[in-house]
Amino acid sequence: MNELAGKHIVLGLTGGIACYKAADLCRALVKEGATVQVVMTEAAQQFMTPVTMQALSNRTVYGSQWDPREPNNMPHINLSREADAILIAPCSADFMAKLLHGRADDLLSLMCLARPLQSVPLLIAPAMNREMWAHPATQRNRAQLVSDGATIFDVGNGDQACGETGDGRMLESHELLEEVIAFFQPKTLAGQHVLVTAGPTYEAIDPVRGITNLSSGKMGFSIARAAREAGAVVTLVAGPVSLATPRGVNRVDVRSARDMFQAVQDKVAAATVFIATAAVADWRPAHAADQKIKKDGSGKTPELSFVENPDILAAVAQSTRAQAGDLYCVGFAAESQDLLANAQAKRLRKGVPLLVGNIGPATFGQDDNALLLVDESGTQEMERDSKLSLARKLIANIAIRMKARGQK
Ligand code: CTP
């Protein structure tokens, strides 16, 4: 998608077995359109050769502050001035300690100290043994580096190269890529808590059969990702879908409309924005059979009767907090025809300030969509685009609306 087009990233490698992941990360950054300048400490070169990193980044790798290739012999200045960010992945415990003290006895630490603080952010992906990560010294360094302005990504949990198991693994390259992309998005929803519903629901007929719909959950998951990229705390209540959870998003899996209703009721008190993208089943079988319904050979078909499911969005929109303007509610309308008229009517029926219409059959399961935003003053079209791009535009639009309402 060229998410990092125009970005120049200095990728710093320090000593650690996670250097093998940095090779893949370098490739992924380049694939997203970034130019990548690799700088390696001496310790990093014990784990990965500069040749590999040069081939992947298509640029000469730097390792020494005494590198004579720079005409002024100041690689620490020359390389740091062009960067949109310095990303240290992997960052060892030792290197974190070094950064903390502003030490500068090798090219990478020298660059970090010499970088213009306001324009070149420092992103750190720690990688170390679990005991080293848990050590009070490392945790103290981590907290201090954050208060000095660095962004420190989480560590992964699992099997470590040393044979132990726990916290301290460097995140996988695709996870770091998602974090870097998120870092560059505008933080329009910082301080907000966004609750999103997504996907279909599944209403059981018997233990092996049920009623569901064609929603893939992709639009809702993209919205959850975009909200988190915009700086919000995000909770995603997901119906049965097989999509990966966007990084940093709290996910609650549910199956039926009633489960979804309950999960939303449990989470909504903390939310300042509620976005209902789920294609909730309107009805469920009145009586789900305890055992599988069998054919009896007579050709008789089972008779199903239905009862209506609770309307999750309407209930939230009528809550005291939503009515008082402390919770901004956004509905979706999946229609098959007459989008404008249906969306306008649905906005009023649900009692929400903003309703987003889309044509269900034209978007269910696809990676792209087109949206029609309907509010009390009119409509706005968002042309066909990837679901992630549309989600980012919608989140920016919601942020503007909340600001206009004066919602904190
Ligand atoms: N919705 C909900 N709970 C329901 C039904 C719908 O929260 N039981 C929400 C959806 O998540 C969406 C909006 O209401 O944000 C509209 O959903 P949609 O299925 O398009 O509309 P319905 O209310 O089901 O109306 P209809 O089926 O008649 O189009």
Side-chain angles (χ1 to χ4, degrees):
M1 285 242 295
N2 260 358
E3 295 273 359
L4 296 173
K7 298 285 184 228
H8 181 66
I9 294 173
V10 170
L11 176 61
L13 278 67
T14 71
I17 188 62
C19 277
Y20 81 90
K21 295 185 189 175
D24 202 37
L25 174 62
C26 178
R27 206 157 176 259
L29 293 169
V30 170
K31 237 175 155 177
E32 286 295 346
T35 48
V36 178
Q37 175 60 59
V38 176
V39 176
M40 299 174 75
T41 64
E42 224 178 287
Q45 293 175 42
Q46 298 290 324
F47 293 90
M48 174 72 68
T49 68
V51 175
T52 301
M53 298 310 292
Q54 179 174 347
L56 293 173
S57 63
N58 205 18
R59 282 183 170 235
T60 312
V61 171
Y62 283 76
S64 164
Q65 68 270 45
W66 312 119
D67 196 319
R69 284 172 297 182
E70 292 295 297
N72 59 356
N73 214 295
M74 293 187 196
H76 63 295
I77 301 292
N78 304 346
L79 300 180
S80 64
R81 293 305 181 266
E82 318 169 321
D84 290 296
I86 297 178
L87 165 63
I88 304 187
C91 188
S92 64
D94 178 56
F95 203 79
M96 281 176 71
K98 225 170 159 176
L99 286 172
L100 174 88
H101 288 289
R103 292 189 53 192
D105 60 354
D106 70 299
L107 177 59
L108 189 57
S109 56
L110 185 56
M111 277 178 66
C112 292
L113 192 67
R115 78 188 205 280
L117 263 186
Q118 300 310 321
S119 57
V120 185
L122 182 60
L123 314 179
I124 293 174
M128 64 200 73
N129 164 270
R130 66 189 175 115
E131 299 291 357
M132 293 165 77
W133 176 247
H135 196 284
T138 305
Q139 290 306 315
R140 200 166 53 233
N141 295 348
R142 172 205 203 183
Q144 186 59 48
L145 285 168
V146 169
S147 75
D148 287 350
T151 296
I152 305 203
F153 298 131
D154 280 344
V155 291
N157 176 285
D159 293 342
Q160 304 199 311
C162 52
E164 298 180 358
T165 304
D167 284 341
R169 287 168 57 97
M170 187 169 88
L171 294 181
E172 301 304 320
S173 57
H174 69 273
E175 296 172 314
L176 282 174
L177 180 69
E178 206 175 315
E179 291 287 6
V180 173
I181 290 169
F183 177 82
F184 286 115
Q185 294 300 318
K187 303 295 170 230
T188 51
L189 285 186
Q192 303 295 335
H193 186 143
V194 180
L195 177 62
V196 183
T197 64
T201 63
Y202 176 92
E203 311 299 326
I205 294 173
D206 68 19
V208 298
R209 304 184 182 91
I211 296 170
T212 186
N213 59 63
L214 291 173
S215 166
S216 63
K218 286 180 181 172
M219 192 69 227
F221 274 57
S222 295
I223 286 174
R225 173 174 170 174
R228 192 262 176 168
E229 288 178 343
V233 172
V234 181
T235 302
L236 172 63
V237 178
V241 293
S242 51
L243 294 176
T245 311
R247 273 210 62 73
V249 165
N250 310 303
R251 175 172 177 173
V252 182
D253 283 322
V254 296
R255 202 151 92 135
S256 68
R258 283 185 297 174
D259 296 341
M260 188 175 274
F261 180 83
Q262 193 51 53
V264 166
Q265 291 297 320
D266 291 346
K267 299 288 177 190
V268 76
T272 53
V273 184
F274 177 54
I275 308 176
T277 70
V280 184
D282 290 318
W283 308 281
R284 65 178 182 277
H287 305 286
D290 289 337
Q291 303 299 334
K292 184 181 174 192
I293 303 170
K294 305 291 283 180
K295 275 188 297 203
D296 63 8
S298 69
K300 223 176 96 203
T301 55
E303 294 208 346
L304 292 178
S305 58
F306 293 90
V307 288
E308 197 169 311
N309 274 325
D311 192 315
I312 304 166
L313 175 62
V316 171
Q318 277 149 33
S319 68
T320 322
R321 288 185 61 242
Q323 295 290 320
D326 296 333
L327 174 65
Y328 190 76
C329 293
V330 181
F332 262 69
E335 305 295 342
S336 61
Q337 58 175 345
D338 296 335
L339 184 58
L340 177 59
N342 279 318
Q344 282 171 329
K346 203 165 277 185
R347 188 184 82 80
L348 295 175
R349 188 151 47 82
K350 303 276 178 178
V352 292
L354 176 64
L355 194 117
V356 183
N358 58 173
I359 297 290
T363 187
F364 278 177
Q366 311 286 320
D367 288 324
D368 60 0
N369 198 359
L371 304 178
L372 179 69
L373 276 56
V374 179
D375 66 12
E376 65 175 352
S377 57
T379 62
Q380 181 184 336
E381 275 184 52
M382 286 188 181
E383 280 178 19
R384 188 154 283 278
D385 203 342
S386 74
K387 287 185 175 172
L388 183 56
S389 298
L390 286 172
R392 287 182 182 144
K393 286 180 196 154
L394 180 62
I395 288 295
N397 188 295
I398 290 171
I400 292 169
R401 289 167 189 273
M402 289 180 66
K403 222 171 175 182
R405 279 163 46 121
Q407 189 179 327
K408 280 194 231 100

